[in-house]
Amino acid sequence: MPTIEHKLNITEEEVPEHIRRLAQEQGECPRSKDAVIEQFRNYILEHNECQPHRSDAKYLEKFLRARYWKIENSYKLLCSYYKFREQNKSFYEKVRPLDLRHVGQSDILTVTPYRDQHGHRILIYRFGLWRPNRVTVDDIFRATIVLQELGSLEPISQIVGGVGIFDLKDLGLEHILHLSPSVAQKMIALLVTSMPIRTSALHIVNQNWLFNAAFKIFKPFLNAAMREKLYIHGSDMTSLHKHINPEHLPKRYGGLHEDYSYTLWLDMLKEQCSGNSVQKDMEQLGFIFD
């Protein structure tokens, strides 16, 4: 197996040819792209329902890609994103990503440094490992947002989106008590409605009898399209493998890979991104790296 490197693919040159073809199938036309971005910029100015902190082509492009280059839908996403930011300022402003190491050390969540057969990175939650007295719900949101914002900088991820695995092994009552409708609504906003990166599928694995209670909290916030992308596998990893090839999964899910900690992404931010465009993009969102 090749060496696994924690690295962001932030240049257009890193987009493979088959992903470029997919982008064109989604409505992205190299010849008219600049004109569509300009139309989108004018649409934002005309409607004036939200004021993005940037309006350069590179920034607007990720919202267009997330909604298949449909200007009206992209605008709705843009406004939803800024509404979420306004309602949850504590998730962005003065947040120091490198101070979220305790979340990574708990192994509650991570994103794979590799991609699946479709080019998706895989966001993995292991809620059974969560100790609410050590890691707050808000810190889980902050850690998720850091990953989502970093992922939205990658052209490949802008085009193909990502997938999520919710591993509910050892989910207990102490966890359910913290899953209020407000928490559920924010989680769905992050994974479905309010971030400039699509979630192509959500996979539930290792759920126990408490899953039904948790699902009742989340279900009202799932639209019909998202429910079609929700797959419940139990402990049957062969069912999961119908969607994600084992060669692109951790060993615990019948795959070939080791587990890679969230802290490795923080190390990447500290070592590779100091002073570069990634850090500058994140600082413009309110994150602090000093």
Side-chain angles (χ1 to χ4, degrees):
M1 182 175 292
T3 301
I4 300 298
E5 182 182 9
H6 282 70
K7 177 180 178 293
L8 292 174
N9 309 122
I10 61 172
T11 67
E12 293 289 338
E13 289 73 25
E14 293 175 277
V15 180
E17 184 57 37
H18 70 283
I19 302 289
R20 294 182 189 277
R21 291 195 297 270
L22 176 63
Q24 292 185 34
E25 292 171 10
Q26 294 175 351
E28 183 172 330
C29 176
R31 291 190 299 275
S32 62
K33 183 163 75 171
D34 291 344
V36 175
I37 292 173
E38 183 61 25
Q39 289 175 28
F40 186 35
R41 188 180 290 114
N42 291 333
Y43 191 95
I44 294 168
L45 292 172
E46 290 168 8
H47 288 75
N48 199 34
E49 292 174 26
C50 59
Q51 289 76 42
H53 70 287
R54 289 172 56 182
S55 61
D56 56 281
K58 182 179 178 182
Y59 185 71
L60 297 182
E61 184 176 33
K62 66 182 182 179
F63 289 91
L64 288 163
R65 280 174 164 165
R67 291 299 180 265
Y68 304 108
W69 293 83
K70 292 180 171 58
I71 288 178
E72 184 176 347
N73 291 347
S74 301
Y75 183 68
K76 288 179 180 177
L77 173 62
L78 182 77
C79 291
S80 179
Y81 171 75
Y82 278 94
K83 181 180 179 181
F84 181 86
R85 282 178 52 86
E86 181 64 27
Q87 293 175 341
N88 299 280
K89 291 182 179 179
S90 67
F91 294 167
Y92 285 90
E93 295 181 1
K94 300 181 180 178
V95 171
R96 288 176 163 82
L98 301 182
D99 287 349
L100 294 170
R101 185 167 292 273
H102 66 292
V103 182
Q105 290 170 339
S106 68
D107 292 324
I108 300 170
L109 78 156
T110 193
V111 162
T112 58
Y114 50 86
R115 300 177 184 273
D116 72 5
Q117 71 271 21
H118 302 297
H120 306 122
R121 291 200 191 272
I122 307 169
L123 175 63
I124 301 173
Y125 289 95
R126 298 170 63 194
F127 284 116
L129 298 179
W130 176 31
R131 297 296 173 262
N133 61 330
R134 300 178 193 169
V135 177
T136 67
V137 171
D138 283 357
D139 275 347
I140 293 176
F141 280 123
R142 292 182 185 107
T144 300
I145 287 169
V146 168
L147 292 176
Q148 292 280 69
E149 292 288 1
L150 289 173
S152 77
L153 299 177
E154 298 185 295
I156 297 173
S157 297
Q158 292 170 9
I159 295 166
V160 303
V163 298
I165 293 178
F166 280 43
D167 185 345
L168 304 185
K169 182 181 179 182
D170 297 326
L171 186 74
L173 285 172
E174 64 172 325
H175 306 119
I176 298 297
L177 291 174
H178 287 81
L179 293 180
S180 66
S182 173
V183 169
Q185 188 173 23
K186 289 174 185 175
M187 183 64 75
I188 296 303
L190 282 182
L191 297 179
V192 182
T193 61
S194 300
M195 293 296 286
I197 184 168
R198 290 189 308 276
T199 298
S200 299
L202 287 175
H203 299 280
I204 309 294
V205 299
N206 296 322
Q207 75 274 11
N208 59 22
W209 62 275
L210 282 170
F211 167 71
N212 289 335
F215 189 59
K216 285 180 181 177
I217 300 171
F218 279 84
K219 193 172 181 179
F221 305 107
L222 290 172
N223 60 29
M226 198 62 235
R227 291 181 191 182
E228 292 180 359
K229 298 175 183 177
L230 181 66
Y231 303 94
I232 301 172
H233 305 285
S235 59
D236 181 9
M237 295 306 146
T238 59
S239 175
L240 177 63
H241 297 166
K242 293 176 183 177
H243 302 268
I244 305 174
N245 289 345
E247 63 190 88
H248 307 300
L249 283 168
K251 292 178 180 177
R252 69 178 59 255
Y253 307 123
L256 303 178
H257 288 277
E258 303 298 333
D259 293 321
Y260 295 99
S261 171
Y262 179 94
T263 59
L264 294 171
W265 285 111
L266 298 182
D267 293 340
M268 181 277 301
L269 269 177
K270 184 177 181 180
E271 295 166 7
Q272 300 178 26
C273 299
S274 179
N276 73 3
S277 63
V278 171
Q279 182 173 316
K280 291 175 182 176
D281 285 346
M282 297 291 280
E283 286 175 339
Q284 288 180 352
L285 295 172
F287 296 110
I288 296 174
F289 289 90
D290 58 17

